[in-house]
Amino acid sequence: MLKNKIYILLALLIATMAIGEVSANQSKTKRKHRVKTHKVIKKKKKVSRKRTAVVKPIDPRLNDPDYDPFLSCEDTCGHIHGIDLSHYQGQVFWETVGENTKMAYVYLKATEGGDRIDERYERNIELAHRYGLKVGSYHFFRPKTPLLQQLENFKTQCLPGEQDLIPMIDIETTGGLPDYEFCDSLFRFLGMVERTYRQQPLLYTFRNFYNKHLLGQIDDYKLMIAMYTDEEPELADGRDITMWQYTSKGRIVGVNGFVDKSRFLGRHGLREIRFRH
């Protein structure tokens, strides 16, 4: 009886060991399978893209040791030169501008249309006088704005006692009007200015604008013609030009950024545009 029990226990022990060995082998097989089927994801290498630098052409004049970016015609010729300024130039160092004896005159923007007043006009005209420049004032003409309103606006700023030069009217737009309506508006306004200041104003416009809209219409007035080329301007009707604004990108010590520069043509001179008090 005892022997039978011993045999049964041995049989159970052997069976248990066999089952454990089979389970262990199955676990190893599963681990091996997982290792074999595991995907290794490789990191992508960053591809460096080289940016092509934009090479700007170098102004050959900059390689000239004697090149002066402020040098202009007024430094190399005998013409009478001047500038025109508005609030676009910001703060102007008038003491420095006044020391530049090449600049004989300055036209300052006073007004535009019926209600715009240049915010720097009063300060500019006071300091320009203080540092010895001959000063004139100009109005930007808006053909569709009521003429009396424009005249009153200009009169509030362009005071005769403060003027060395005759008033200038800046004519650059038709306001979308047909030429006959535009010219009618302009002529009536010029007559009003002339009666107010008892002298004809100087007229400023671009050559192409004159040739297209004013050809043969304003023969009695002195002209300042803007044309930014190396050659002096000529009008299609061949009429005389008093002054030439030859650049809008001039430089002058005392003014930050660009400035419009002009000069008299031919035998014309400063005496022709002096304000008669």
Side-chain angles (χ1 to χ4, degrees):
M1 194 68 178
L2 181 60
K3 287 182 180 180
N4 290 337
K5 288 181 179 181
I6 292 171
Y7 288 145
I8 292 170
L9 289 171
L10 287 172
L12 289 172
L13 180 61
I14 291 170
T16 302
M17 291 174 66
I19 291 171
E21 186 176 352
V22 170
S23 298
N25 288 336
Q26 286 179 349
S27 298
K28 288 180 181 179
T29 302
K30 287 181 180 180
R31 284 198 298 270
K32 288 181 180 178
H33 181 71
R34 283 199 298 266
V35 171
K36 287 181 180 179
T37 58
H38 180 67
K39 293 182 181 180
V40 178
I41 301 173
K42 294 182 180 180
K43 291 183 178 181
K44 293 182 180 180
K45 294 182 179 180
K46 291 183 179 180
V47 180
S48 59
R49 296 180 180 178
K50 295 182 179 180
R51 294 183 178 180
T52 305
V54 178
V55 181
K56 294 183 179 180
I58 298 174
D59 190 331
R61 295 175 298 177
L62 298 179
N63 295 322
D64 182 357
D66 298 322
Y67 172 64
D68 179 359
F70 292 103
L71 191 68
S72 194
C73 175
E74 67 269 13
D75 301 287
T76 58
C77 66
H79 300 102
I80 302 170
H81 290 80
I83 55 178
D84 64 81
L85 297 173
S86 69
H87 66 278
Y88 290 113
Q89 278 71 41
Q91 183 178 359
V92 175
F93 299 93
W94 285 104
E95 183 176 5
T96 305
V97 175
E99 291 173 353
N100 185 344
T101 56
K102 302 291 184 181
M103 291 298 152
Y105 63 88
V106 57
Y107 265 101
L108 300 172
K109 183 176 182 180
T111 52
E112 178 177 337
D115 56 4
R116 294 186 183 179
I117 296 173
D118 192 277
E119 63 191 44
R120 291 190 176 269
Y121 174 76
E122 290 185 10
R123 175 176 174 79
N124 281 340
I125 195 168
E126 177 188 350
L127 294 179
H129 275 304
R130 184 184 302 177
Y131 293 108
L133 288 161
K134 300 299 182 184
V135 185
S137 305
Y138 74 90
H139 172 78
F140 191 99
F141 177 63
R142 293 288 182 185
K144 295 174 72 174
T145 301
L147 303 182
L148 183 58
Q149 187 179 344
Q150 293 195 67
L151 180 65
E152 292 299 324
N153 188 30
F154 190 42
K155 284 169 59 178
T156 63
Q157 302 303 306
C158 182
L159 305 178
E162 297 178 347
Q163 309 303 309
D164 301 306
L165 310 176
I166 59 177
M168 183 168 73
I169 307 302
D170 186 343
I171 310 163
E172 299 184 35
T173 177
T174 65
L177 297 174
D179 280 354
Y180 72 91
E181 287 187 31
F182 158 67
C183 287
D184 179 66
S185 176
L186 175 62
F187 296 155
R188 287 189 290 120
F189 183 69
L190 294 179
M192 294 164 68
V193 172
E194 185 173 349
R195 288 190 294 274
T196 299
Y197 292 99
R198 300 181 181 179
Q199 51 207 306
Q200 287 186 331
L202 173 68
L203 306 188
Y204 168 94
T205 191
F206 285 84
R207 183 194 63 170
N208 291 343
F209 188 90
Y210 176 90
N211 286 340
K212 185 175 181 180
H213 303 290
L214 294 169
L215 202 65
Q217 299 292 321
I218 48 178
D219 292 345
D220 295 334
Y221 291 88
K222 296 178 176 64
L223 296 178
M224 180 192 287
I225 295 294
M227 188 180 78
Y228 309 140
T229 63
D230 293 333
E231 297 181 359
E232 295 182 4
E234 292 184 5
L235 300 176
D237 56 8
R239 65 152 299 180
D240 184 55
I241 300 171
T242 303
M243 304 166 75
W244 171 29
Q245 186 184 91
Y246 58 90
T247 182
S248 63
K249 293 186 176 181
R251 300 299 299 271
I252 182 173
V253 178
V255 179
N256 294 322
F258 296 126
V259 62
D260 297 335
K261 289 184 175 182
S262 58
R263 66 178 177 86
F264 286 91
L265 291 178
R267 296 183 178 180
H268 294 292
L270 200 59
R271 64 186 182 280
E272 298 177 46
I273 61 169
R274 285 189 181 275
F275 194 102
R276 298 191 309 275
H277 293 278

